[in-house]
Amino acid sequence: MAENSALRDGREFYFTSQDFDRVRKLIYAHAGISLSDSKQELVYSRLSRRLRATGIRTFSEYLALLESDNAAEWEAFTNSLTTNLTSFFREPHHFPVLADHLRSINNKHAITLWCSAASTGEEPYTMAMTVIDALGRDAAKVSILATDLDTKVLETAKEGVYPLERVSKLDPELIKRFFFRGTGPQSGFVRVRPELRDMITFRQINLLHSDWQIRTPLDVIFCRNVMIYFDKQTQLDILKKFVPLLSSDGLLFAGHSESFHQADEYFKLRGKTIYELSPKYKLKRKNEESR
Ligand SMILES: C[S@@+](CC[C@H](N)C(=O)[O-])C[C@H]1O[C@@H](n2cnc3c(N)ncnc32)[C@H](O)[C@@H]1O
């Protein structure tokens, strides 16, 4: 019955509500992403491309392929279902706070920042511009780890090449300072300058996994506009894992619609969508640091 209705809708592939439920379960278990009922059409359109690419004719056959643990298809499936919207200087109020924080901890120790949902790279490159602006020569002592689950966006991020429109709203002086303008076949594109690129290490990390293998302590964690895809329990599990990684005076930056009341025991709001460790965990981290 459901399959007939899929055909009646003039769709290219059978896509039943049972197929949608299977997709939901798989992506939730693998990436923590919770898909609401309203995402059925989006899932159909994104995964149809995978059916075409693999030559598979039905969703149930495609899902069986995934369930047989086909690693390459798992990567493509995951990349298809992530939402990667981002921009340079998105939520700009965060960057002056980051700059002040960097100045306040400069010369105390080597500085490490983590951008945990880096997408196509605009966010970590904005962090790097802020570092250079705030610290000048001392920026050489800073390292940024930029990670994402999606391997395709990480390739774009590593490349650091963007269509001109992506930077069109930035101050022309800033563009001149931090980007090369493409010429010839590269005209219409900009490339980030090596001083930004060299500050950043790009790596795949699934926030859902238990062992991220990150060198600590971290001075700053950017975790913006990714928690909205997770349910509250998954958010809390991730936030708890941030605690032992952050330095006692570290900051956590969240996205504009993300609030972490469920983690009040661990994090305290310090400014608009900016968190620090709660007094209890700040003290705990301080004691650990002095050992
Ligand atoms: C909407 S983008 C946000 C990009 C950037 N942080 C910003 O605010 O502009 C969300 C990113 O989270 C990534 N993501 C989704 N689930 C993830 C997971 N389980 N682990 C790590 N990254 C994940 C997606 O691949 C996507 O690039």
Side-chain angles (χ1 to χ4, degrees), residues 27 30-33 78-79 81-88 90-91 115-120 122-124 147-151 153 204-209 212 222-230 234 238 254-256 258:
I27 197 66
H30 180 65
I33 297 172
T78 309
N79 291 353
L81 292 179
T82 57
T83 299
N84 310 113
L85 183 78
T86 188
S87 59
F88 288 103
R90 183 178 193 188
E91 296 169 36
C115 177
S116 68
S119 187
T120 39
E122 289 86 336
E123 186 173 85
T147 66
D148 201 284
L149 170 65
D150 184 329
T151 50
V153 291
Q204 188 196 29
I205 287 187
N206 184 346
L207 288 170
L208 212 63
H209 285 172
W212 295 328
F222 266 57
C223 186
R224 305 194 312 167
N225 304 303
V226 58
M227 291 291 212
I228 37 164
Y229 301 102
F230 305 149
T234 305
I238 293 169
H256 60 285
E258 295 163 327

Side-chain angles (χ1 to χ4, degrees), residues 50-69:
R50 293 311 311 151
L51 268 74
R52 272 179 227 120
T54 50
I56 291 173
R57 292 301 309 154
T58 67
F59 268 84
S60 57
E61 223 184 300
Y62 176 72
L63 293 167
L65 173 74
L66 282 178
E67 283 163 350
S68 73
D69 261 351

Side-chain angles (χ1 to χ4, degrees), residues 257-270:
S257 59
E258 295 163 327
S259 65
F260 302 142
H261 295 302
Q262 76 275 37
D264 276 354
E265 186 192 342
Y266 304 94
F267 286 98
K268 181 180 149 208
L269 196 62
R270 170 167 168 168

Side-chain angles (χ1 to χ4, degrees), residues 139-194:
K141 291 186 282 186
V142 177
S143 57
I144 300 175
L145 173 67
T147 66
D148 201 284
L149 170 65
D150 184 329
T151 50
K152 194 137 192 271
V153 291
L154 281 173
E155 276 170 31
T156 305
K158 271 185 217 162
E159 196 78 18
V161 174
Y162 300 94
L164 262 175
E165 309 88 81
R166 305 287 298 163
V167 296
S168 63
K169 292 206 181 91
L170 302 187
D171 183 335
E173 276 307 307
L174 196 90
I175 301 177
K176 215 191 272 172
R177 188 166 162 210
F178 291 119
F179 297 87
F180 294 120
R181 261 176 199 264
T183 53
Q186 289 302 312
S187 74
F189 291 88
V190 290
R191 176 187 288 279
V192 295
R193 289 188 181 255

Side-chain angles (χ1 to χ4, degrees), residues 2-56:
E3 294 203 340
N4 285 341
S5 71
L7 267 190
R8 264 204 315 274
D9 292 346
R11 280 179 166 161
E12 187 180 354
F13 303 106
Y14 287 123
F15 185 54
T16 64
S17 35
Q18 288 91 326
D19 293 331
F20 179 60
D21 280 342
R22 269 167 88 188
V23 171
R24 273 218 274 222
K25 281 192 188 117
L26 290 171
I27 197 66
Y28 179 75
H30 180 65
I33 297 172
S34 286
L35 294 170
S36 64
D37 290 339
S38 66
K39 294 290 189 300
Q40 196 150 339
E41 281 311 306
L42 180 97
V43 165
Y44 174 80
S45 117
R46 299 228 185 137
L47 291 183
S48 289
R49 287 180 220 144
R50 293 311 311 151
L51 268 74
R52 272 179 227 120
T54 50
I56 291 173

